[in-house]
């Protein structure tokens, strides 16, 4: 297992060493060590599907690339950040209608678990006093580049993007709203090219009623604080945030989202889908409601 995980990190470095060229809205990673350009997340998929035996047959040029750092890794990603019962599943559905988008749902608070581990390690390191004991020796500082690379690898391994994915991501409503969204701040650092869709309800009372019906309880102060935290995050990251409350769901607004993502050159929404309507939870939409979007060409 250790060898496989090391290979994952090394192959991610190879992907980050690629020349990133923007084509339409997605990024193509091109590497002269490969015979053919590998679009989108093909290199990442290769990393996830490879086994340790690949190392033994790695060409010299690629072995050189494997040594490179991953600080320039730019994985196209979109994260849907919601305060709950505000239409985030519908947003995920609308995003997945865009060709090449693979936006996952709530994976048992996947990122929250990874961030909790990271935050604990970070706290332990900062609070660990230096010692003269040889058994407690450590580096003077940690390699943050490698740490972010490792976190990115863990997220991608959990998401396991489909072979044709060019943009990945997930939606979640469990965030550290009480900590000013520090977990989301870290996620944006882990994925430096990512964008977020911030989702809530303008009508707080209706949001609380929906939460009560769906989950059996609600807390006014928690939901109110969550919505305020979303607005603060948007003000700090205006260029990377798209604010989309439930009350603004419309074809026009979702087409503005396409423009924000750089997808409006080839796609236009025709209608808006509605998941988890009322007290029901939508089952896996397979196939997706493709008629809700019109795409005239590939990006």
């Amino acid at each position: 297992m250790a060898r496989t995980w090391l290979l994952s990190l090394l192959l991610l470095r190879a992907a980050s060493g690629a020349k990133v060229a923007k084509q339409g809205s997605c990024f193509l990673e091109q590497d002269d060590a490969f015979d053919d350009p590998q679009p989108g997340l093909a290199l990442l998929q290769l990393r996830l599907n490879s086994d340790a035996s690949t190392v033994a047959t790695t060409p010299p040029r690629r072995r050189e690339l494997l040594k490179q750092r991953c600080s320039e890794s730019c994985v196209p990603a979109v994260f849907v950040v919601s305060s709950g019962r505000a239409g985030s599943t519908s947003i995920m559905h609308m995003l997945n209608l865009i060709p090449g988008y693979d936006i996952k749902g709530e994976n048992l608070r996947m990122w929250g678990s990874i961030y909790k581990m990271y935050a604990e390690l970070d706290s332990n390191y900062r609070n660990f006093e230096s010692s003269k004991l040889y058994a407690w020796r450590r580096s003077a500082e940690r390699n943050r580049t490698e740490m972010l690379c490792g976190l990115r690898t863990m997220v991608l391994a959990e998401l396991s993007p489909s072979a044709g994915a060019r943009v990945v991501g997930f939606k979640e409503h469990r965030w550290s709203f009480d900590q000013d969204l520090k977990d989301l701040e870290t996620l944006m650092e882990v994925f430096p090219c990512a964008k977020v869709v911030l989702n809530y309800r303008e009508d707080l009372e209706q949001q609380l009623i929906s939460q009560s019906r769906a989950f059996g309880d609600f807390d006014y102060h928690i939901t109110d604080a969550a919505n305020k935290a979303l607005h603060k995050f948007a003000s700090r990251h205006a260029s990377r945030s798209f604010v989309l409350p439930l009350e603004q769901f419309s074809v026009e607004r979702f087409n503005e989202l396409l423009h924000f993502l750089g997808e409006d050159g080839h796609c236009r929404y025709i209608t808006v889908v509605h998941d988890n309507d009322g007290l029901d939870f939508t089952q896996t939409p397979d196939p997706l409601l493709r008629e809700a979007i019109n795409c005239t060409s590939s990006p």
Side-chain angles (χ1 to χ4, degrees), residues 33-68:
F34 298 86
D35 293 333
D36 298 314
Q38 306 239 7
L41 299 178
L43 287 178
L44 298 174
Q45 196 68 32
L46 173 65
R47 171 182 54 75
L48 295 173
N49 294 337
S50 298
D51 55 57
S53 64
T54 307
V55 174
T57 58
T58 303
R61 170 59 179 150
R62 189 178 299 184
R63 282 202 297 269
E64 181 69 22
L65 288 172
L66 293 181
K67 298 177 182 179
Q68 294 184 17

Side-chain angles (χ1 to χ4, degrees), residues 13-27:
R13 293 182 185 179
S16 68
K19 297 177 181 178
V20 181
K22 192 170 184 181
Q23 179 181 13
S25 63
C26 67
F27 293 87

Side-chain angles (χ1 to χ4, degrees), residues 20-201:
V20 181
K22 192 170 184 181
Q23 179 181 13
S25 63
C26 67
F27 293 87
L28 298 183
E29 297 182 351
Q30 298 178 329
D31 187 345
D32 58 6
F34 298 86
D35 293 333
D36 298 314
Q38 306 239 7
L41 299 178
L43 287 178
L44 298 174
Q45 196 68 32
L46 173 65
R47 171 182 54 75
L48 295 173
N49 294 337
S50 298
D51 55 57
S53 64
T54 307
V55 174
T57 58
T58 303
R61 170 59 179 150
R62 189 178 299 184
R63 282 202 297 269
E64 181 69 22
L65 288 172
L66 293 181
K67 298 177 182 179
Q68 294 184 17
R69 305 169 73 84
C70 64
S71 59
E72 298 302 323
S73 182
C74 182
V75 178
V78 177
F79 304 112
V80 180
V81 182
S82 176
S83 55
R85 299 302 296 175
S88 60
T89 302
S90 297
I91 296 175
M92 178 183 72
H93 192 156
M94 294 288 279
L95 289 173
N96 280 326
L97 293 175
I98 305 173
Y101 273 56
D102 188 1
I103 310 301
K104 307 295 188 183
E106 300 166 27
N107 290 253
L108 297 177
R109 205 173 183 234
M110 174 266 294
W111 171 246
S113 300
I114 294 175
Y115 175 76
K116 182 179 179 181
M117 175 199 68
Y118 159 77
E120 182 175 354
L121 290 173
D122 187 62
S123 176
N124 290 342
Y125 184 88
R126 293 176 185 277
N127 296 324
F128 181 82
E129 298 181 0
S130 60
S131 173
K132 295 181 180 180
L133 295 178
Y134 182 67
W136 286 13
R137 67 188 299 267
R138 68 171 186 177
S139 299
E141 60 180 349
R142 293 178 299 171
N143 189 321
R144 184 164 180 77
T145 297
E146 295 292 342
M147 187 171 300
L148 295 176
C149 177
L151 294 174
R152 183 162 52 249
T153 301
M154 292 181 70
V155 172
L156 291 171
E158 290 286 341
L159 295 179
S160 188
S162 61
R166 60 187 176 85
V167 179
V168 300
F170 61 87
K171 77 105 170 177
E172 180 62 81
H173 72 268
R174 302 172 183 87
W175 299 90
S176 62
F177 294 112
D178 59 335
Q179 298 179 19
D180 213 19
L181 287 172
K182 287 184 178 180
D183 49 355
L184 181 56
E185 293 280 0
T186 301
L187 183 62
M188 298 296 277
E189 189 175 3
V190 171
F191 289 86
C193 293
K195 293 186 176 182
V196 295
V197 181
L198 304 176
N199 168 246
Y200 62 100
R201 287 201 193 196

Side-chain angles (χ1 to χ4, degrees), residues 205-239:
E205 181 179 354
Q206 287 301 313
Q207 185 173 6
L208 294 172
I209 291 174
S210 181
Q211 290 176 349
S212 177
R213 290 174 176 174
F215 308 132
D217 62 354
F218 67 90
D219 189 304
Y220 170 87
H221 297 288
I222 291 178
T223 304
D224 183 52
N227 292 345
K228 291 178 179 177
L230 290 172
H231 283 286
K232 290 180 181 179
F233 183 90
S235 65
R236 295 195 301 269
H237 302 278
S239 64

